Amino acid sequence: MQHEFTIQVSPETAANPNQLKYQVSKKNKIPLEEIKHIQILKRSIDARQRAIKINLKINVFVNEVYAEAPIQLPIYPDVSNASEIIIVGAGPAGLFAALRSIELGFKPIVLERGKDVRARRRDLKAINRDHIVNEDSNYCFGEGGAGTYSDGKLYTRSKKRGDVHRILKLLVGFGATDQILVEAHPHIGTNKLPDIIASIRKKIIECGGVIHFETRVTDFEIKNNEINGVTLQDGSKILTNKVILATGHSARDIFELLYKKKVAIEAKPFALGVRVEHSQQLIDQIQYKCEVRGPYLPPSPYSIVKQVGGRGMYSFCMCPGGVIAPCATKPGEVVTNGWSPSKRDQPTSNSGIVVELRLDDFKEYAKYGPLAAMYFQKNIEQQAWRVGGETQKVPAQRLLDMTQGKVSTHLPDTSYKPGLTSADMSTVFPEFIHKTLQYGFKAFDKSMRGYLTNEAVVHAPESRTSSPVRIPRDWKTLEHTQVKGLYPCGEGAGYAGGIISAAIDGEKCAEACVKK
């Protein structure tokens, strides 16, 4: 017989199967010898009080043997000779659109401007060590998209997007740990994701799908408001009347191309700010209210939201036990992002701290029409590059100094490998963003005492939080509102915000494409 319970226990008990078994027996009056297995269904941490607790949702097997059921992948047929769907982009939206297309009997042709996960590493090394930015292969472009080398967080705030559990199970089927099905905030880790992405690629090819790397789309073949195919950088064409556009939030050339061809796009509000690095030990002390975290608790994350002068300011993509990475996609700009390895065992933590932007903030860029927000974003990245010394070094400032308007005379070492240049953040950001950050960090410290410290370092900018452009689509058919057969998809089109939501949107677009 199986019984489902919720129980709150100490971190040590949660980590010790025998202690947990004893607690379950005692609390629910089940004889100890009758409990054959405890299956953990969900796990979360309650750190609101000084005595930290672990919340568990469990399935208790009473006088019943537990047999683990392995995760099974769907049946993927051979689609070598099936009807074709072009998918532009091999990020989570594109890859999951390809898998779903195969599942439904269609042949995906995936076109990715960047390199496969293994070859990408050389270009990541070049940007970190030599400050060389490859426009097609970097932290944003390449197999797996921006998520592959920028953390692998697997949670989404929106529960209305679709079947989150299905995507998590697919990831487990392709090699992720089954703990992502249990944790309240699942995370794979940058060191684990590449192998999972490679497994997905192998399955797509094994079933007759096609993936072309280092293949940039430079034009769309459109006639009578219907897609007829795409043109590649070498001048060749691939003709089809079904194209899923899943290029990610940094594909500015695609946004420019759509605007040039008078294909409807819209400016979209987004958020922009800085990435702040603290020692992980300090964040643990603040969040767990203890001097030493101990062996039974993971490195602590934090999440914080404030209203500053009527404008939202909040933490974004917080990376406990992680590092800050250079994420520019073109020479002449600097961009920061963060990631954590699977064990989150680095001595530092970092988080994007970003300010809510609105469409009327981009009035100065009105001449760019629907690309106004993109040019606002681009201008700040280019200004940061100039202030940083025209390399991949970023403008940086100690956190307390920033709130007081002081240029830091000395900067400590941080996890950002290309290096830092001491600068006043007011030379990087417009005044309204700079002032919001200054006041907001003081407000943060009221919620997290000790957060505002000169041992923390601000890196600028954190600017690729989401797409600055939305590509409109019909809510029912998911086709572009103007161009039939074109399916704007994922983060780049403005319909997702992370690995899970992008994967879900990729599946939905594949289903809509096949349905038509």
Side-chain angles (χ1 to χ4, degrees):
M1 186 178 297
Q2 299 177 34
H3 299 277
E4 193 173 291
F5 300 111
T6 58
I7 188 171
Q8 192 175 69
V9 297
S10 70
E12 183 177 1
T13 297
N16 188 309
N18 290 330
Q19 287 188 29
L20 179 60
K21 187 175 179 180
Y22 175 79
Q23 288 286 348
V24 171
S25 170
K26 181 180 178 181
K27 182 176 180 180
N28 297 286
K29 297 180 173 57
I30 302 171
L32 195 62
E33 66 276 8
E34 292 184 8
I35 299 177
K36 305 303 180 185
H37 181 76
I38 297 176
Q39 179 187 20
I40 297 176
L41 304 175
K42 284 294 176 185
R43 176 171 45 229
S44 63
I45 299 174
D46 185 348
R48 291 173 295 178
Q49 305 300 322
R50 190 165 291 275
I52 297 168
K53 298 295 184 181
I54 305 296
N55 298 317
L56 297 175
K57 181 180 179 182
I58 57 176
N59 195 21
V60 181
F61 288 72
V62 180
N63 288 325
E64 180 179 334
V65 177
Y66 170 72
E68 185 175 0
I71 298 292
Q72 298 290 336
L73 288 172
I75 296 173
Y76 293 111
D78 186 334
V79 294
S80 302
N81 299 312
S83 297
E84 296 176 343
I85 298 173
I86 289 178
I87 300 170
V88 186
L95 290 176
F96 278 83
L99 288 172
R100 188 67 177 136
S101 297
I102 292 171
E103 201 177 346
L104 296 172
F106 280 68
K107 178 180 179 177
I109 300 177
V110 182
L111 308 175
E112 169 55 51
R113 67 189 295 168
K115 301 176 183 178
D116 65 73
V117 285
R118 186 172 296 276
R120 280 178 80 180
R121 291 173 182 162
R122 290 190 292 271
D123 297 308
L124 302 187
K125 185 176 181 180
I127 191 173
N128 274 292
R129 186 187 63 188
D130 304 319
H131 303 247
I132 297 171
V133 180
N134 183 327
E135 293 186 37
D136 291 314
S137 180
N138 45 61
Y139 277 96
C140 292
F141 298 144
E143 185 179 21
T148 303
Y149 289 105
S150 62
D151 205 41
K153 291 181 178 65
L154 300 176
Y155 49 91
T156 175
R157 290 184 178 90
S158 175
K159 303 303 179 185
K160 298 179 181 179
R161 293 186 187 274
D163 191 347
V164 172
H165 195 67
R166 169 183 161 84
I167 302 299
L168 293 176
K169 285 175 65 178
L170 286 172
L171 287 168
V172 172
F174 282 108
T177 171
D178 60 5
Q179 290 305 295
I180 66 173
L181 303 173
V182 173
E183 298 295 342
H185 293 94
H187 165 265
I188 291 179
T190 296
N191 54 323
K192 301 289 187 181
L193 265 169
D195 288 343
I196 296 166
I197 297 300
S199 294
I200 293 174
R201 177 223 309 155
K202 290 173 185 175
K203 176 59 70 175
I204 291 169
I205 294 171
E206 176 188 305
C207 294
V210 177
I211 301 181
H212 294 294
F213 293 113
E214 299 182 72
T215 303
R216 191 197 293 195
V217 171
T218 56
D219 202 0
F220 299 107
E221 301 297 315
I222 299 172
K223 187 175 181 180
N224 297 326
N225 286 333
E226 185 169 354
I227 196 81
N228 288 325
V230 298
T231 301
L232 307 181
Q233 193 171 23
D234 63 4
S236 63
K237 300 179 188 296
I238 301 178
L239 302 180
T240 180
N241 62 355
K242 294 180 285 292
V243 175
I244 294 175
L245 190 59
T247 53
H249 59 41
S250 293
R252 289 172 174 165
D253 57 327
I254 293 294
F255 300 147
E256 295 271 16
L257 174 61
L258 293 172
Y259 183 48
K260 180 181 177 181
K261 295 183 74 70
K262 296 182 170 53
V263 174
I265 58 175
E266 305 164 352
K268 184 179 81 58
F270 66 109
L272 182 147
V274 295
R275 189 153 281 268
V276 180
E277 182 170 275
H278 290 79
S279 74
Q280 183 60 51
Q281 184 180 15
L282 176 62
I283 297 302
D284 289 340
Q285 288 171 351
I286 294 172
Q287 295 296 85
Y288 290 145
K289 305 172 186 68
C290 61
E291 285 300 313
V292 180
R293 182 176 78 237
Y296 302 109
L297 287 170
S300 176
Y302 64 85
S303 177
I304 193 164
V305 180
K306 294 292 180 182
Q307 286 290 315
V308 184
R311 194 183 289 270
M313 176 173 155
Y314 56 91
S315 56
F316 168 82
C317 184
M318 196 274 153
C319 301
V323 301
I324 300 177
C327 294
T329 53
K330 196 170 185 178
E333 64 188 29
V334 292
V335 180
T336 65
N337 196 2
W339 58 265
S340 302
S342 57
K343 293 183 180 179
R344 291 178 161 171
D345 55 1
Q346 299 300 302
T348 52
S349 72
N350 66 81
S351 180
I353 305 297
V354 294
V355 174
E356 169 194 21
L357 301 179
R358 305 162 185 150
L359 291 179
D360 58 7
D361 292 325
F362 314 131
K363 287 179 180 176
E364 185 181 341
Y365 299 85
K367 65 181 179 181
Y368 298 107
L371 300 178
M374 187 188 86
Y375 273 88
F376 177 93
Q377 177 193 59
K378 185 177 180 180
N379 182 64
I380 287 177
E381 294 170 1
Q382 292 174 338
Q383 175 63 9
W385 177 75
R386 288 188 288 268
V387 172
E390 300 188 353
T391 67
Q392 284 303 301
K393 287 186 175 183
V394 292
Q397 197 169 7
R398 290 178 183 263
L399 181 54
L400 185 59
D401 285 347
M402 180 195 171
T403 64
Q404 296 175 347
K406 298 178 182 177
V407 176
S408 302
T409 55
H410 170 71
L411 293 171
D413 291 336
T414 72
S415 64
Y416 185 80
K417 288 184 179 179
L420 313 177
T421 298
S422 183
D424 187 334
M425 290 296 155
S426 67
T427 64
V428 177
F429 298 107
E431 183 180 13
F432 78 93
I433 293 179
H434 183 242
K435 291 295 184 186
T436 302
L437 289 169
Q438 284 185 312
Y439 293 131
F441 280 124
K442 294 174 184 176
F444 275 28
D445 195 61
K446 293 178 181 177
S447 297
M448 291 178 63
R449 291 291 183 185
Y451 184 93
L452 183 55
T453 168
N454 245 8
E455 298 308 305
V457 180
V458 177
H459 305 62
E462 166 71 70
S463 51
R464 306 286 178 94
T465 55
S466 67
S467 177
V469 172
R470 178 173 285 110
I471 307 174
R473 68 187 188 190
D474 182 273
W475 68 271
K476 188 174 182 181
T477 67
L478 304 189
E479 285 180 297
H480 188 274
T481 53
Q482 174 189 342
V483 181
K484 301 304 176 187
L486 180 64
Y487 294 82
C489 180
E491 280 204 54
Y495 298 102
I499 292 173
I500 294 297
S501 57
I504 289 172
D505 202 56
E507 288 206 330
K508 287 164 63 175
C509 285
E511 290 163 3
C513 199
V514 167
K515 183 178 180 180
K516 182 178 179 181

